[in-house]
Amino acid sequence: SIRSRDIMMSQKEVGIEVLAITAPFQNCISKKGSDTINDITYIRTSQNTKNSISDQRKSVLKRVLRVYAIVFFTQQLYKAIKKEKPDVLHAHAMFFCAIPSLVLGAILNIPVVYEFRSLWMFQKSDSHNKSYLNKKIESLLLYMEILCLKKAAHAVILNENLKDFIFSKTSKPFEHSIINNAVNTSLIEKLKASTVLKTREKMVFGYIGTLTAYEGLEFLIQTFQELFDDGFDHQLVIYGKGVNQKSIQDQINSRSDINTVSYKGAIAPSE
């Protein structure tokens, strides 16, 4: 993801040697078992194009079976650790990445940092339409995430609200830091120093990522529509795909008089 890339670029900027290892659900671009992006090597543990990441709701059986892939991922992670000999394992959500890191970190005596990004397990905001089973699964997933946060040597959380929610679910606090949305501020400074913003008459706000409920894009679009009515004519451009794609397009199209909000479709990670 863009956020992961920003984090690793930031780590590299301060002199940390960075090597990324992706889960079996992240496909290889080059088909050679690894990719190099922004001078950072990404070791791929799967070349199966059918194993892609998706926010589509899956059956309980498929979700249970997918967990078994954690065994294979742990084996691949172990091989990479023995070869590269890292000082720190930095796992990011979800628990699929955290559990292998925590297990191998304990066995090999390597500290683990776990970065928690969102309440991804709550896919739908309308709790009244959820089955009893889905509610129980969400509770179990949240418990597993909190357990991983507690077991890590240090946790990174992406905002205060997320921290407050997690701490409301546990009686025992854990070591943590908050890095707001994991933004690489040096990139912002470089942009401010460039002529890009200075030569534009209007600001262009962009979102590039997954189009899913927990991102809050509907609120963002609504805000820009209301601002347009108040004379705010700066633009909002959205790239991506996901389960909320149609609802986002419908919301944009519901105001045909507004030309400042647009959806541009999906964009390849390499671009």
Side-chain angles (χ1 to χ4, degrees):
S1 70
I2 290 174
R3 184 178 289 137
S4 296
R5 202 171 303 171
D6 270 2
I7 292 168
M8 287 186 286
M9 288 173 65
S10 298
Q11 291 170 337
K12 191 172 181 179
E13 284 178 3
V14 297
I16 298 174
E17 186 178 347
V18 182
L19 177 70
I21 305 171
T22 59
F25 315 120
Q26 187 74 43
N27 296 323
C28 188
I29 299 171
S30 67
K31 306 301 179 186
K32 296 178 180 179
S34 66
D35 296 309
T36 301
I37 305 171
N38 298 123
D39 294 325
I40 295 173
T41 299
Y42 291 72
I43 297 175
R44 307 300 189 183
T45 60
S46 175
Q47 295 185 17
N48 183 357
T49 55
K50 294 181 180 179
N51 247 351
S52 59
I53 298 170
S54 170
D55 281 303
Q56 293 286 348
R57 177 71 73 177
K58 300 174 182 64
S59 69
V60 175
L61 179 60
K62 284 186 177 179
R63 279 182 276 177
V64 171
L65 290 175
R66 209 169 193 192
V67 172
Y68 281 105
I70 202 169
V71 177
F72 171 75
F73 179 57
T74 304
Q75 293 171 338
Q76 298 302 307
L77 182 59
Y78 177 78
K79 290 178 182 178
I81 291 172
K82 294 299 286 184
K83 179 182 177 181
E84 302 295 337
K85 297 179 174 55
D87 297 300
V88 176
L89 298 178
H90 180 157
H92 72 72
M94 47 189 259
F95 69 89
F96 189 99
C97 294
I99 291 175
S101 300
L102 290 166
V103 170
L104 294 177
I107 294 172
L108 302 173
N109 196 28
I110 304 173
V112 177
V113 174
Y114 183 40
E115 176 195 324
F116 190 62
R117 299 180 171 185
S118 68
L119 299 173
W120 59 271
M121 66 291 297
F122 301 119
Q123 290 289 325
K124 295 182 179 179
S125 57
D126 186 2
S127 60
H128 299 292
N129 292 331
K130 293 177 182 175
S131 68
Y132 174 81
L133 180 59
N134 275 330
K135 289 180 179 179
K136 287 298 181 183
I137 290 174
E138 287 180 352
S139 297
L140 175 61
L141 293 174
L142 179 60
Y143 170 80
M144 292 177 70
E145 290 288 7
I146 293 175
L147 183 63
C148 290
L149 288 166
K150 287 181 174 180
K151 294 296 183 181
H154 199 86
V156 175
I157 305 176
L158 266 63
N159 57 62
E160 289 283 353
N161 287 342
L162 189 57
K163 183 209 76 173
D164 291 343
F165 178 85
I166 293 299
F167 275 56
S168 73
K169 301 296 182 180
T170 177
S171 58
K172 185 179 179 181
F174 48 83
E175 290 291 327
H176 72 283
S177 297
I178 294 174
I179 303 178
N180 289 306
N181 210 31
V183 170
N184 184 340
T185 54
S186 68
L187 294 179
I188 296 175
E189 293 304 318
K190 290 176 184 177
L191 180 61
K192 287 164 64 176
S194 72
T195 59
V196 176
L197 296 181
K198 297 175 184 176
T199 56
R200 282 181 173 169
E201 293 182 3
K202 298 178 181 179
M203 292 277 288
V204 179
F205 296 82
Y207 172 86
I208 306 174
T210 308
L211 309 185
T212 191
Y214 55 74
E215 297 290 359
L217 289 169
E218 287 84 355
F219 296 111
L220 182 62
I221 295 168
Q222 180 184 342
T223 300
F224 268 80
Q225 290 171 335
E226 293 174 355
L227 287 170
F228 178 85
D229 293 333
D230 293 335
F232 184 89
D233 61 353
H234 298 285
Q235 296 181 336
L236 170 63
V237 183
I238 297 173
Y239 289 91
K241 62 181 179 179
V243 294
N244 277 38
Q245 182 174 321
K246 186 178 184 303
S247 65
I248 285 170
Q249 288 177 290
D250 290 344
Q251 185 175 356
I252 293 173
N253 295 334
S254 69
R255 288 290 303 271
S256 57
D257 59 315
I258 296 179
N259 60 5
T260 57
V261 182
S262 58
Y263 169 63
K264 300 291 188 179
I267 185 169
S270 59
E271 298 176 3

